Amino acid sequence: MNDATTRLTHEREITEPVSLTRPDGTLNPDAVGWMRRALLNTSGIGRGRTGRGRNKRWEYWGITTPDVIAAVTVATLDYATLSQVWVLDRRSLADVDQVAITPLSRGVTLPGSLGEGPATATVPGIEVVIAEEPGPADAAADGTRIRATTARVKIDVVAERPAGHEAMGVVVPWNDRRFQYTVKDVARPARGTITIDGVEHELPAGESWAVLDHGRGRWPYRMNWHWGAASGREHGRAVGLQLGGLWTVGTGSTENALSIDGRLHKLGGELEWRYDAADWLRPWSITGERVDLRFEPFHDRSSKTALGVIHSETHQCFGTYRGVVTDDSGEVIAIEALTGWAEYVRQRW
């Protein structure tokens, strides 16, 4: 751990591979901390009867472009799977949403650890394949290819991983039997196409971005959270925001970080989220040490689910971030217009 990191966050930086769980399935204390790349072996999640009913595994990709916003989810919750493909036309604000829930793990496969293999879904109405692939021979980048098909939507997008690009991984421990490992990877340049009702939208270079939310853990039945993310270019630099809240309070860990030209700047403090729950499209305020942001939504992707043991309420608002953030060196970076989202989720699962 370098001296700058020691001064800027209380959290321990992990720099070597380690297993998320111990042989008995409980949390490995050596895994608690944050990292700049995916280092954890998470194959113990979902194996055997350990933590039965509480194991949660997912891959979520959000894609933002000037014309279209899209999201692809492949998840297993132990007792059911959730697969979803959602797109929003930014001009008309019309969206297309396809969701499939199947019992147990039927129709869905997920790798034991990030990057070990593809994530796939073959479920009613949805086909998804998410897989790592090498980049072009003349490019210093590999990437993740995200392919998803429904009756009205086809997505074929590569989230590029530039050389040296860092992603935030962090373990959030509620206790030794309930914990979460998340990898939030923002500001990944995206290329490819998104087709809606036969109309193909090619992703414009330099203006299209992908964000990964990779999760492996064992969750309490009830949990609320905030998540915000944004990607884009500010004054010629690639900038990504990764912001969280509620679910990490009291754990000693946060999922807050900045990405500046692919370099991760970890934020150890909790953030304060202010918004109007009676009008989700009013501006939000997200503030804290090294963060002073205003979020201006233009669309509220809201949903409520009551299906057996699963009850959820989600408001995922898409819009524009403005304000300032401060990197590890103390440089204040002006955020004039970054496209992204901010969400509130109330979950029983």
Side-chain angles (χ1 to χ4, degrees):
M1 186 185 302
N2 62 49
D3 290 342
T5 300
T6 303
R7 290 195 301 271
L8 290 169
T9 178
H10 63 278
E11 300 159 291
R12 181 170 67 99
E13 183 177 356
I14 295 171
T15 58
E16 299 293 335
V18 65
S19 174
L20 176 62
T21 54
R22 294 185 285 200
D24 65 358
T26 58
L27 174 63
N28 179 4
D30 292 337
V32 178
W34 69 278
M35 59 217 77
R36 298 177 184 274
R37 58 190 179 93
L39 290 171
L40 297 196
N41 179 339
T42 59
S43 59
I45 301 298
R47 177 186 295 170
R49 299 178 61 87
T50 303
R52 190 172 182 179
R54 298 291 90 220
N55 295 293
K56 314 298 177 188
R57 302 183 295 147
W58 65 76
E59 312 293 338
Y60 170 96
W61 281 94
I63 301 161
T64 57
T65 84
D67 299 323
V68 178
I69 295 173
V72 177
T73 305
V74 178
T76 69
L77 312 177
D78 256 7
Y79 44 78
T81 72
L82 171 65
S83 304
Q84 187 167 22
V85 177
W86 176 85
V87 295
L88 175 73
D89 184 315
R90 292 187 62 176
R91 290 189 175 88
S92 67
L93 295 183
D95 66 349
V96 180
D97 192 8
Q98 183 74 39
V99 183
I101 297 174
T102 59
L104 302 176
S105 59
R106 188 175 300 167
V108 169
T109 62
L110 290 169
S113 300
L114 183 59
E116 284 189 348
T120 68
T122 304
V123 295
I126 298 175
E127 295 275 349
V128 176
V129 178
I130 302 169
E132 299 302 307
E133 66 172 35
D138 59 347
D142 56 10
T144 307
R145 188 175 183 185
I146 305 143
R147 288 173 288 174
T149 304
T150 72
R152 298 178 58 189
V153 172
K154 182 176 181 180
I155 297 171
D156 190 351
V157 169
V158 174
E160 297 177 346
R161 185 185 297 104
H165 178 87
E166 297 176 345
M168 188 211 65
V170 67
V171 171
V172 176
W174 296 291
N175 55 54
D176 67 351
R177 297 183 180 276
R178 297 289 181 264
F179 48 88
Q180 169 71 355
Y181 168 56
T182 184
V183 176
K184 295 296 201 328
D185 194 356
V186 298
R188 294 270 296 268
R191 56 181 167 83
T193 58
I194 298 174
T195 304
I196 307 171
D197 292 330
V199 178
E200 183 177 278
H201 301 266
E202 185 168 355
L203 274 60
E207 301 179 85
S208 305
W209 305 90
V211 172
L212 168 66
D213 174 7
H214 164 91
R216 298 290 188 273
R218 298 198 177 101
W219 284 69
Y221 177 56
R222 299 172 185 267
M223 186 60 64
N224 299 345
W225 68 76
H226 288 305
W227 178 32
S231 306
R233 299 197 72 83
E234 290 285 356
H235 309 286
R237 306 173 75 181
V239 177
L241 306 177
Q242 164 51 40
L243 313 168
L246 295 180
W247 72 289
T248 57
V249 172
T251 66
S253 297
T254 78
E255 61 167 352
N256 302 323
L258 312 173
S259 176
I260 312 296
D261 287 330
R263 177 70 174 177
L264 196 72
H265 301 253
K266 184 68 175 71
L267 306 176
E270 292 285 351
L271 301 174
E272 183 172 359
W273 296 66
R274 297 189 185 94
Y275 51 90
D276 185 349
D279 184 357
W280 294 94
L281 293 180
R282 292 189 65 185
W284 299 38
S285 170
I286 305 170
T287 58
E289 187 178 3
R290 299 166 61 194
V291 173
D292 187 357
L293 295 168
R294 176 184 173 94
F295 175 70
E296 301 167 357
F298 58 73
H299 180 76
D300 175 17
R301 178 190 178 192
S302 62
S303 65
K304 290 186 178 182
T305 301
L307 183 64
V309 298
I310 302 174
H311 295 256
S312 69
E313 176 186 353
T314 299
H315 290 274
Q316 185 183 31
C317 294
F318 293 87
T320 304
Y321 281 89
R322 309 182 196 277
V324 294
V325 295
T326 304
D327 72 9
D328 287 349
S329 73
E331 180 184 357
V332 177
I333 298 166
I335 305 298
E336 295 186 359
L338 282 187
T339 299
W341 57 85
E343 70 180 29
Y344 169 75
V345 177
R346 179 184 298 160
Q347 193 77 278
R348 286 185 286 158
W349 61 348

